[in-house]
Amino acid sequence: MQSPGIWLRATFFENDTKIADCELQLIPGAAKTVGNTRSSADIRLASDTVSRNHLMVAVDEAGSVLVCDQGSSNGTFCEGRELLPDQWHPVPDGAPVFLGADVRMMLEPLEIRKIESKPHSKMLADLLLSGNEVLIGRGLDCDMTLDDSMVSRHHALVSKGRDGKILIKDLGSANGTYVNGRRIDGLTHLSSASTIYIGRHVLGLEMAPADLGKETAVRAYGVAFKYRNGKQALYPTDIEIQTGSMTAIMGPSGCGKSTLLKALTGDLPVTQGRVEIFGVDLATGHEYVRSIIGYVPQDDIVHYELTVREAVYFAARLRLEHLDSDAITKKVDEVMGDLRISEIASNIISNISGGQRKRVCIAVELLSSPLVLFLDEPTSPLDPQSIEEFLLNLRELTNKGTTVVMVTHKPEDLAFMKMAIFMAQGGHVVYSGPSEDHLAWFEARRTTEVYARLAGREVEKWRTRYLQQVVPSNQTRATGIKRSCASANSWQQWYWLTRRYATAKINDMHNTLLMIAQAPLIAALICVIFAQITSAVPFLIVISVIWFGTNNSARAIVGEQAIFKRERMFNLQILPYLFSKICVLGVLGVIQSALFVLVISLGYFLRGCEPSWVDLAGSVCWLSLVCLSATLMGLFLSSALDHVDKVLTLVPLVLLPQIMLAGSITKINNWLVELFSYLTIARWGNEGLCILQRNIHVDLPGIHGKGGEASTIADALTTTSAVDALRCNLGDRYQDVFGSLAGTLPLDVLWVIGLTSVFGCLTFYRLRYKSNGL
């Protein structure tokens, strides 16, 4: 027999002024939330006294009304005493409940509309017997009500098709609906063996909903990792991490702490064993698992050029693409408030402290309401005061149900931990248990002594002792992680990635203006040095434009590889990411090319030697294309290497062949060198600009005045075809290979487009390789 639910009238007063009046429908097992207007609570009050998630109101099986403070800033009071956070308290009939000192809530029963609580423990198959549709969600009007903040009010709809098949459809929920571990988009067929994941609940046609939050948070069965060179970085490991705990992974440098953490998150595909997150296999259910975990690597996963709010907002746009603008803004405000970074929302991230940056990174991860949060050495760059504040923030997260697992090498961090995992040199787990018991286990007085015992000769002793306490699982070969980004909207990702990158460039205006200023400065220098337009001028113009494009993009990918990898783990697609870079950097290249042409034209016009270009627009277009090709070459370099310094070292080595093989410095008289010249942007860019330039001035030896000097500049120079002068240096086989197309602009355009496409493909595949084939 189901316990009856009740209707209540909730009236709210602030300083005796009514600010809200509503009716609440309460049933056992479901609660209503009260918060301010910036929250997503069921009841939102326009009061600064009320926190975002201030209070929950529920009813028990006996029909008694209960309230629970959610760790509010100003507290909750009833019968003259402050209620303890996260604990349910009964409310006597007619007793007021105070939210802070100024807001009073009065609850009045409405007996005339008693209801029966909806059975949410039934199986879908049973519910479909009495109707053709089953509405699943958090709302009390749903056929299957799931009390879970990750579940939308109307989350998914299960229905019978005309052919008798059972179908499920996501209703635009915030966190998605997953069938057999993959997020669905549109109608999806369900079989009796299908497993459905909604929020933290798992269910099926013949399986009642089960709360995954009650499962063990993390389980590793014989997990091991070996590098391709055969070196064992992590030996077979069996561990359990309890739900709601705060667990530290500790040990000396190089013992495999980060390797273990990456194995648990799926960032590193293990070579042996398997991992379960809340009972879901990480390998087969990776797309669902990644939606319920958060991961903050050692490097910051936010752009330093953005403000705090911009960084969190753009991340929300990319990760919560199914939410509308209002819901995203509320979610951003909520996570920023929870982590106390709202007061620095307008600060540029490069100008805030290390502890604040770590909180911003965590805010990005909390957007998807993860059940478990993994952190790799988050306290390393922090000072002692910032560390304590930071770890207290993490403890608050665990109080709200989030499991925290963090790598750390600082013994003082253990004071905040419930559990600890110690690793010894060589990749061995040698302790896993309560943090306060680790000293007794290692027969030590201080944690620093433990570190000394986890390296050298004693490693085998502690490894053997630990293995005697655990039952190792079968060491099976790992199943490959099934990754997919199919549910992501490519166009939407491209739009927000482009906006984010453009915003970062605009915010970093000083550096952006310096990049743009290179074009007019170099153009002016050319005009000053070269009195007439000789063959050196178009050559220098093309080399300069190639430098602009390569330099603009050399840092674009390698400088944010931590961000790319983390977003790739979540839902980032490579093509939208790559095209966002191309669009922003392409616009920058067009601006530089246009300024270059304008300054060159103006400079020579003032000297009475206007360039003989066919038209300014054609020259700008051609140089923009050359710059774009160089931009793709720079992006390839940026994707190929793992450090900014390495890329900047390689840039000159890539540009030197462009200079030597462009056909202006020396004649290309070797067939192998000529073949290599076809692979350079400068060779085709130089020829194309010479065609547009039409005529140049060349020196006529033997025409001199008295004393062996030229009588005038005009006496020593004559005009000739720019492309004819260049062709003499381009190689003897050029005409034979390309026939009538040789020396024509269409050939140059097609070849530069071809080189641009090659660099784009190489960059794409390199990014795919770097993200482990995601």
Side-chain angles (χ1 to χ4, degrees):
M1 179 73 179
Q2 297 290 336
S3 299
I6 64 172
W7 282 87
L8 293 175
R9 178 181 299 280
T11 308
F12 296 86
F13 301 87
E14 184 168 20
N15 297 325
D16 296 327
T17 300
K18 183 188 292 187
I19 59 173
D21 186 1
C22 59
E23 294 182 359
L24 301 180
Q25 185 186 42
L26 298 177
I27 62 172
K32 292 289 187 179
T33 56
V34 181
N36 60 30
T37 53
R38 297 188 302 275
S39 72
S40 56
D42 298 296
I43 303 171
R44 295 189 286 273
L45 305 176
S47 171
D48 294 333
T49 303
V50 180
S51 300
R52 285 184 178 84
N53 293 297
H54 196 113
L55 181 69
M56 294 181 69
V57 183
V59 63
D60 61 16
E61 295 289 338
S64 299
V65 178
L66 308 172
V67 295
C68 177
D69 183 86
Q70 298 295 290
S72 61
S73 300
N74 296 309
T76 303
F77 303 83
C78 185
E79 295 187 301
R81 62 187 178 92
E82 184 173 4
L83 306 184
L84 295 176
D86 301 316
Q87 294 187 20
W88 290 99
H89 301 269
V91 179
D93 291 343
V97 177
F98 288 89
L99 286 70
D102 301 327
V103 177
R104 182 174 84 254
M105 177 178 70
M106 301 297 298
L107 298 174
E108 175 190 357
L110 298 176
E111 299 291 344
I112 57 173
R113 285 194 283 181
K114 286 191 174 183
I115 60 171
E116 293 295 319
S117 60
K118 287 182 179 290
H120 59 274
S121 60
K122 279 190 174 183
M123 296 179 291
L124 285 172
D126 295 337
L127 293 174
L128 286 170
L129 292 175
S130 57
N132 292 323
E133 293 183 341
V134 175
L135 179 62
I136 305 173
R138 186 160 51 94
L140 297 178
D141 58 334
C142 294
D143 302 298
M144 180 178 284
T145 302
L146 302 178
D147 185 13
D148 181 354
S149 60
M150 295 178 65
V151 177
S152 299
R153 283 181 173 79
H154 292 170
H155 197 106
L157 183 69
V158 179
S159 60
K160 293 179 183 177
R162 293 182 179 179
D163 54 0
K165 291 183 178 180
I166 308 299
L167 304 172
I168 186 170
K169 179 183 179 181
D170 184 82
L171 299 177
S173 63
N175 294 304
T177 302
Y178 298 80
V179 175
N180 298 328
R182 299 197 62 180
R183 188 165 183 162
I184 64 172
D185 186 13
L187 288 172
T188 301
H189 174 252
L190 291 177
S191 68
S192 58
S194 296
T195 303
I196 305 167
Y197 297 98
I198 295 178
R200 65 170 187 258
H201 285 78
V202 57
L203 60 148
L205 285 176
E206 300 178 359
M207 178 175 65
D211 188 348
L212 291 175
K214 297 178 181 179
E215 294 278 340
T216 299
V218 182
R219 281 194 177 98
Y221 300 94
V223 168
F225 179 76
K226 182 185 292 185
Y227 290 108
R228 293 181 181 179
N229 61 9
K231 181 182 177 181
Q232 193 82 28
L234 178 65
Y235 282 83
T237 299
D238 290 80
I239 58 172
E240 286 190 4
I241 297 174
Q242 297 303 316
T243 301
S245 66
M246 196 165 171
T247 303
I249 302 177
M250 307 187 71
S253 297
C255 67
K257 302 186 296 295
S258 294
T259 301
L260 175 60
L261 190 78
K262 291 178 180 179
L264 297 179
T265 62
D267 186 17
L268 191 71
V270 298
T271 51
Q272 186 173 294
R274 63 189 178 91
V275 177
E276 287 183 358
I277 306 293
F278 291 100
V280 182
D281 190 282
L282 177 62
T284 58
H286 180 263
E287 191 171 348
Y288 170 69
V289 169
R290 74 187 179 197
S291 71
I292 61 172
I293 68 172
Y295 172 45
V296 180
Q298 291 186 34
D299 296 325
D300 294 329
I301 53 173
V302 288
H303 293 80
Y304 286 1
E305 302 84 2
L306 298 176
T307 66
V308 171
R309 172 170 286 279
E310 287 169 346
V312 180
Y313 179 78
F314 284 123
R317 280 295 186 179
L318 292 169
R319 298 189 180 201
L320 308 176
E321 59 183 16
H322 295 277
L323 292 185
D324 58 27
S325 297
D326 290 340
I328 285 179
T329 300
K330 289 178 182 177
K331 188 65 178 178
V332 169
D333 289 338
E334 179 185 336
V335 298
M336 290 180 64
D338 290 342
L339 292 170
R340 300 185 180 91
I341 55 175
S342 298
E343 61 271 17
I344 58 169
S346 59
N347 292 25
I348 297 293
I349 291 178
S350 61
N351 296 333
I352 63 178
S353 68
Q356 290 170 329
R357 281 202 300 272
K358 283 300 177 186
R359 290 209 296 267
V360 176
C361 293
I362 293 175
V364 167
E365 294 302 313
L366 293 184
L367 289 168
S368 56
S369 304
L371 297 180
V372 57
L373 179 64
F374 295 94
L375 305 155
D376 196 351
E377 298 203 24
T379 60
S380 293
L382 309 184
D383 59 81
Q385 181 180 353
S386 299
I387 288 175
E388 182 173 359
E389 183 182 0
F390 177 78
L391 292 176
L392 286 173
N393 282 149
L394 294 183
R395 180 178 285 178
E396 290 179 8
L397 292 179
T398 61
N399 292 337
K400 295 178 181 179
T402 302
T403 304
V404 175
V405 183
M406 61 177 276
V407 168
T408 179
H409 63 270
K410 296 188 175 182
E412 56 269 28
D413 292 353
L414 270 178
F416 296 84
M417 302 296 158
K418 180 179 180 181
M419 306 293 292
I421 298 170
F422 276 86
M423 298 188 68
Q425 208 169 54
H428 305 280
V429 172
V430 292
Y431 176 78
S432 179
S435 57
E436 64 267 18
D437 295 343
H438 77 283
L439 292 178
W441 175 268
F442 290 108
E443 302 168 3
R445 292 173 297 174
R446 296 180 299 274
T447 304
T448 51
E449 293 181 24
V450 174
Y451 276 76
R453 298 180 182 186
L454 298 182
R457 298 178 180 179
E458 290 194 57
V459 170
E460 188 60 30
K461 169 186 174 181
W462 302 114
R463 176 174 175 270
T464 302
R465 183 176 180 182
Y466 177 71
L467 290 176
Q468 290 173 349
Q469 304 295 319
V470 298
V471 179
S473 57
N474 294 329
Q475 299 176 10
T476 57
R477 187 174 180 83
T479 303
I481 293 178
K482 298 179 180 179
R483 309 179 191 262
S484 173
C485 291
S487 61
N489 186 309
S490 299
W491 287 107
Q492 190 167 326
Q493 279 199 356
W494 168 81
Y495 174 77
W496 289 111
L497 286 166
T498 302
R499 276 196 58 176
R500 182 175 70 179
Y501 193 45
T503 302
K505 288 294 184 185
I506 293 171
N507 288 355
D508 191 18
M509 185 58 69
H510 179 74
N511 188 52
T512 302
L513 289 177
L514 284 177
M515 294 170 67
I516 294 175
Q518 294 177 89
L521 288 176
I522 295 176
L525 189 61
I526 291 175
C527 293
V528 170
I529 294 175
F530 296 92
Q532 298 288 336
I533 299 182
T534 65
S535 60
V537 173
F539 164 72
L540 289 173
I541 292 175
V542 169
I543 292 299
S544 298
V545 168
I546 292 174
W547 159 254
F548 299 153
T550 308
N551 183 57
N552 292 347
S553 58
R555 301 174 184 83
I557 294 175
V558 69
E560 57 178 54
Q561 55 186 340
I563 302 171
F564 168 77
K565 193 167 186 179
R566 176 62 193 116
E567 292 182 342
R568 183 75 176 130
M569 286 175 62
F570 194 86
N571 68 344
L572 181 66
Q573 292 185 326
I574 293 177
L575 282 179
Y577 175 80
L578 181 57
F579 275 105
S580 71
K581 302 294 183 190
I582 294 172
C583 290
V584 175
L585 295 173
V587 170
L588 184 60
V590 170
I591 295 173
Q592 290 171 310
S593 300
L595 288 174
F596 207 113
V597 170
L598 290 175
V599 172
I600 286 285
S601 300
L602 180 61
Y604 280 110
F605 174 78
L606 294 176
R607 301 189 67 165
C609 182
E610 188 175 0
S612 56
W613 284 315
V614 175
D615 59 79
L616 288 178
S619 301
V620 171
C621 291
W622 175 245
L623 292 179
S624 297
L625 178 59
V626 172
C627 189
L628 178 64
S629 186
T631 297
L632 267 296
M633 182 172 67
L635 288 175
F636 170 62
L637 296 178
S638 191
S639 66
L641 300 175
D642 60 359
H643 199 279
V644 172
D645 291 341
K646 294 180 182 179
V647 176
L648 297 182
T649 300
L650 192 58
V651 166
L653 298 178
V654 173
L655 291 177
L656 284 173
Q658 305 286 335
I659 296 172
M660 293 184 287
L661 299 175
S664 290
I665 291 183
T666 185
K667 180 177 176 59
I668 300 174
N669 52 17
N670 180 293
W671 70 269
L672 184 60
V673 175
E674 183 177 342
L675 179 62
F676 281 130
S677 73
Y678 295 157
L679 304 179
T680 64
I681 304 170
R683 182 252 178 273
W684 303 100
N686 192 18
E687 182 179 79
L689 191 58
C690 284
I691 294 172
L692 292 171
Q693 170 61 31
R694 293 190 297 188
N695 299 318
I696 60 170
H697 294 281
V698 296
D699 189 11
L700 290 179
I703 302 180
H704 299 287
K706 293 181 180 180
E709 299 294 334
S711 56
T712 65
I713 292 177
D715 291 334
L717 298 174
T718 189
T719 302
T720 186
S721 168
V723 70
D724 288 342
L726 177 64
R727 190 179 298 179
C728 297
N729 290 333
L730 290 181
D732 298 332
R733 294 172 179 79
Y734 179 43
Q735 191 73 39
D736 298 334
V737 172
F738 294 100
S740 60
L741 283 176
T744 63
L745 192 59
L747 176 63
D748 298 326
V749 171
L750 290 173
W751 207 276
V752 171
I753 291 175
L755 290 174
T756 305
S757 302
V758 169
F759 286 127
C761 292
L762 290 174
T763 305
F764 173 83
Y765 285 107
R766 182 59 191 172
L767 287 173
R768 192 173 180 185
Y769 174 80
K770 289 181 76 170
S771 56
N772 298 319
L774 280 163

